[in-house]
Amino acid sequence: MTETAIELVGVNKWFGDFHVLKDIDLTVGAGQKVVICGPSGSGKSTVVRCINRLEKHQKGTIRVNGTELRGDAQTIAAIRSEVGMVFQQFNLFPHLTVLDNLMLGPVKARGLTRAEAEKTARHYLARVHIPDQADKYPGQLSGGQQQRVAIARSLCMEPRVLLFDEPTSALDPEMISEVLDVMIELALDGMTMVVVTHEMGFARKVADQMVFMDAGEIVERGAPEEVFAAPKSDRCRKFLSQILQH
Amino acid sequence: MTRYLPFAALLLLGGCSSSSTWGWYVIDPTTASGWINIKFLVSGMGDTILISVIAAAISIALGLMVALPALSHRRWLRIVNRVYVELIRSIPLLPMLFWVFYGLPIIFRSMGLNIPIDPFWGAIITLALSDSAFTAEIYRAGIQSIPKGQHEASQTIGLSYAQTMRYVILPQAIRRILPPLANQFIYIVKMSAFASVIGMQELTRRANELVVTEYRPLEIYSLLIVEYLVLVLIISAGVRWLERRMSADERI
Ligand SMILES: Nc1ncnc2c1ncn2[C@@H]1O[C@H](COP(=O)(O)OP(=O)(O)O)[C@@H](O)[C@H]1O
Ligand SMILES: [Mg+2]
């Protein structure tokens, strides 16, 4: 029995009158990889963003490594220290070098010395296969390299869980695989991952659980082979046939 | 418009030739009395610059403090910002100057405080206060121009709000903030002329005093305008240099 890393029970969220998440239940065991897919606007980003409190849910419970996510600053800080996030648009700090991007969190939030932080930063830069770009600015890197820096920046905080929100959607096709390769390596190393993506090859390779969302609901879930081979719902079948055509 | 230019030129030339309209002797540097007058007028430059620089420095700090509540997700903090900006922005400078110089000491006295306000600090407080509404708006616009993703990425690596501002947002926003902030300095320099009204011996006050004794308003006020022109042109050159530097820095 693996311990539970993330648990969502009956999570609901509204943007004004708009019911964006409807009774979301999701359990992610430690070391598990969950891939979330679904049409645009179905609420995938919102689910992921609720897990580290970039968005606030209004009903239901979210637990991360056993801690219930409530509104107080202390809990939020505790949960964010265990949960890293990689964004579609990278969101690197353009005014800082790659090395400083990686060191900012460890030095300012975790209180490491600059020497310790630099050692960690160089370690993770090597892990995402760009050890020689440390002194460049993000604007001087390709999209694929920037996203790998963003992954390394998250890793420098030594998180127990990594969230990815469409990490390859903003990339030119030829750069997608270099990012996916890094993510696969992380997955094989045992990182707990929640990944919003339409890269079905990645899902097949690493996902323990596939989740299909539509209109704020989890419509279907299961092992990737099952979902791909025999989607139960029409909506999921239609969606998969559309994205697998490409 | 151009039709009238020859007439205007004619008027000016005619004026120069007939001493009844123009009397440059009051500020003729080749005569002893003219030179003394010039020195008297130009020596107001020190106070004009000093008042402006101190007021600008206060406004730059105050403006940031006023701008930050505008970026809060708490409604009442945003309202505090709006009220401050709208109120301060709508008070004309001269009434505000009178209120600060003549009114504020009374408030201080009623609170049992003995804080006299001399013309120097009266002018500085008024200019800084009045300008802070504009610098606050400059900060707000500059900070809001930084994409939301920068805040979110900072949050996910555990930075506090203050750390996010200090290390991520402001260093990027400064490029949008500095040029208009420097531009505001021109506004302060020009508005510092109002300090003359409460007895501050800066450029305008000195010109007024000399006009009273010499009866040569045309020449003296012309020189006064040139004095401000020189000051403002120097600052403008500085602003343009700053703008070039900020946009040349491609990284940010
Ligand atoms: N801050 C917001 N305010 C209002 N509506 C929002 C906000 N963020 C997202 N939405 C809406 O919520 C829905 C789900 O958004 P999102 O979770 O980003 O979907 P997905 O990631 O699946 O494309 C969309 O219809 C979107 O327009
Ligand atoms: Mg999305």
Side-chain angles (χ1 to χ4, degrees):
Chain A
M1 180 68 203
T2 59
E3 60 182 292
T4 305
I6 302 173
E7 193 178 19
L8 282 74
V9 184
V11 169
N12 280 268
K13 175 168 180 63
W14 289 262
F15 283 122
D17 293 338
F18 178 54
H19 198 172
V20 57
L21 296 184
K22 301 168 188 160
D23 287 320
I24 301 292
D25 294 316
L26 183 67
T27 306
V28 184
Q32 272 202 330
K33 294 91 185 89
V34 174
V35 166
I36 303 177
C37 66
S40 169
S42 56
K44 308 180 295 293
S45 297
T46 309
V47 167
V48 168
R49 291 161 58 85
C50 280
I51 296 173
N52 66 353
R53 229 342 135 98
L54 289 179
E55 301 285 356
K56 188 173 169 227
H57 64 287
Q58 282 116 3
K59 213 177 130 206
T61 30
I62 297 178
R63 270 189 217 92
V64 179
N65 295 323
T67 311
E68 185 177 339
L69 182 47
R70 274 172 285 111
D72 58 305
Q74 212 175 354
T75 316
I76 293 175
I79 282 176
R80 283 190 184 146
S81 72
E82 298 186 340
V83 179
M85 177 145 180
V86 176
F87 301 88
Q88 181 176 349
Q89 300 297 340
F90 327 138
N91 295 345
L92 293 175
F93 307 131
H95 60 300
L96 300 178
T97 62
V98 165
L99 200 59
D100 285 333
N101 263 273
L102 268 55
M103 288 166 58
L104 188 61
V107 170
K108 301 302 171 191
R110 292 180 57 211
L112 264 59
T113 66
R114 286 193 66 82
E116 292 167 331
E118 180 172 343
K119 201 167 148 243
T120 316
R122 291 198 184 276
H123 168 74
Y124 284 115
L125 268 187
R127 270 197 64 180
V128 300
H129 312 303
I130 36 175
D132 44 353
Q133 310 287 352
D135 297 320
K136 291 205 177 146
Y137 286 90
Q140 299 169 304
L141 303 182
S142 72
Q145 290 173 323
Q146 289 189 47
Q147 191 60 299
R148 285 185 284 153
V149 172
I151 293 172
R153 181 176 64 180
S154 295
L155 291 173
C156 283
M157 296 303 290
E158 315 276 5
R160 292 167 70 180
V161 175
L162 263 187
L163 310 173
F164 294 80
D165 190 1
E166 305 209 30
T168 57
S169 297
L171 296 177
D172 292 334
E174 72 271 18
M175 295 172 186
I176 291 179
S177 65
E178 66 189 48
V179 171
L180 289 179
D181 287 346
V182 166
M183 290 168 62
I184 291 168
E185 288 163 23
L186 279 174
L188 296 178
D189 274 358
M191 177 63 81
T192 309
M193 294 161 72
V194 178
V195 185
V196 176
T197 185
H198 292 161
E199 293 294 333
M200 291 305 132
F202 173 82
R204 255 185 236 275
K205 207 170 280 173
V206 307
D208 301 295
Q209 196 184 160
M210 276 276 296
V211 170
F212 172 74
M213 285 186 70
D214 191 21
E217 289 173 298
I218 293 182
V219 177
E220 193 152 339
R221 68 176 93 212
E225 315 85 67
E226 295 169 29
V227 176
F228 283 123
K232 293 189 212 80
S233 66
D234 280 348
R235 287 191 280 183
C236 185
R237 189 174 315 127
K238 208 166 132 229
F239 176 78
L240 285 178
S241 75
Q242 272 168 2
I243 61 164
L244 292 177
Q245 269 169 11
H246 304 300
Chain B
M1 187 62 214
T2 43
R3 233 151 31 107
Y4 297 104
L5 271 179
F7 294 103
L10 215 66
L11 217 70
L12 240 134
L13 280 174
C16 289
S17 54
S18 89
S19 59
S20 63
T21 21
W22 292 86
W24 289 111
Y25 67 87
V26 276
I27 48 168
D28 183 351
T30 58
T31 69
S33 65
W35 181 238
I36 288 172
N37 284 346
I38 288 182
K39 278 208 297 200
F40 175 72
L41 290 171
V42 173
S43 61
M45 196 73 92
D47 272 338
T48 289
I49 293 174
L50 195 61
I51 289 177
S52 305
V53 168
I54 298 177
I58 296 174
S59 169
I60 282 170
L62 190 58
L64 181 59
M65 287 191 289
V66 174
L68 290 179
L71 309 160
S72 168
H73 51 261
R74 295 204 183 84
R75 216 172 102 85
W76 71 270
L77 280 174
R78 293 202 304 273
I79 292 175
V80 167
N81 164 276
R82 267 349 287 167
V83 168
Y84 182 95
V85 169
E86 296 300 338
L87 180 74
I88 296 293
R89 207 159 52 172
S90 59
I91 304 174
L93 199 77
L94 201 50
M96 197 194 285
L97 186 66
F98 290 150
W99 192 89
V100 167
F101 188 60
Y102 298 109
L104 203 52
I106 300 176
I107 295 184
F108 284 154
R109 268 202 303 279
S110 76
M111 288 160 54
L113 300 166
N114 184 25
I115 307 174
I117 293 184
D118 59 5
F120 183 73
W121 284 105
I124 286 173
I125 292 169
T126 309
L127 286 170
L129 214 58
S130 150
D131 190 54
S132 66
F134 296 94
T135 46
E137 291 292 274
I138 290 169
Y139 278 115
R140 186 176 62 81
I143 292 170
Q144 282 177 341
S145 74
I146 304 303
K148 206 167 121 237
Q150 294 289 305
H151 290 271
E152 293 180 349
S154 308
Q155 283 179 319
T156 59
I157 58 164
L159 298 188
S160 69
Y161 174 77
Q163 288 173 328
T164 303
M165 279 293 156
R166 163 84 178 74
Y167 300 110
V168 178
I169 306 300
L170 285 177
Q172 295 182 63
I174 207 74
R175 177 190 173 193
R176 309 270 177 94
I177 289 172
L178 266 189
L181 219 50
N183 228 3
Q184 269 311 105
F185 188 50
I186 293 176
Y187 166 88
I188 290 196
V189 166
K190 291 199 294 182
M191 292 303 147
S192 72
F194 279 108
S196 63
V197 177
I198 54 171
M200 191 64 217
Q201 283 258 332
E202 40 64 78
L203 288 176
T204 303
R205 176 77 177 200
R206 284 167 187 265
N208 277 339
E209 286 177 359
L210 201 64
V211 164
V212 169
T213 54
E214 296 279 357
Y215 299 110
R216 279 287 164 197
L218 188 52
E219 295 75 14
I220 293 171
Y221 287 140
S222 296
L223 178 64
L224 179 62
I225 286 173
V226 171
E227 287 176 307
Y228 281 112
L229 197 66
V230 168
L231 266 184
V232 168
L233 285 179
I234 292 172
I235 304 167
S236 300
V239 172
R240 271 201 306 281
W241 174 82
L242 206 61
E243 273 168 350
R244 267 200 312 278
R245 256 208 63 181
M246 290 281 144
S247 62
D249 204 346
E250 282 293 331
R251 312 188 306 262
I252 349 183

